[in-house]
Amino acid sequence: MQIKEIKIVEVGNYVGAVKLGKCPMYGFAPKTEKKDFYASLKEDFPGYRFIRGGEKEKNALMFNIKLSERAR
């Protein structure tokens, strides 16, 4: 059985969670809400392991943050 992972990254003033693959998932919050963000992730994804992400995940998250800021 494959271990399910969500990668955690910090980009600028944001902390984010990235799960790449067939059905990617991105989530982010301001760093000031870091504890609440982690608590929410653990509650929503109880069977997942959270590990530190690399450049690929940082780039994916930066792209999604920029899209979100543009939409405002």
Side-chain angles (χ1 to χ4, degrees):
M1 184 169 113
Q2 185 177 357
I3 296 173
K4 301 178 206 171
E5 297 178 340
I6 292 179
K7 301 200 177 166
I8 304 295
V9 294
E10 292 189 17
V11 176
N13 293 325
Y14 295 97
V15 60
V18 178
K19 184 176 102 29
L20 299 175
K22 283 184 179 179
C23 185
M25 182 277 299
Y26 306 95
F28 58 92
K31 280 187 180 177
T32 56
E33 299 174 16
K34 193 181 209 177
K35 283 187 178 181
D36 293 335
F37 182 69
Y38 287 152
S40 175
L41 282 174
K42 287 179 182 180
E43 185 179 309
D44 293 343
F45 299 95
Y48 282 73
R49 188 172 82 175
F50 299 95
I51 62 171
R52 193 171 115 188
E55 285 301 310
K56 183 168 54 171
E57 289 81 19
K58 281 185 182 181
N59 291 336
L61 188 64
M62 281 192 297
F63 178 76
N64 281 279
I65 289 170
K66 287 179 184 176
L67 282 179
S68 174
E69 289 175 346
R70 235 199 234 157
R72 291 181 193 177

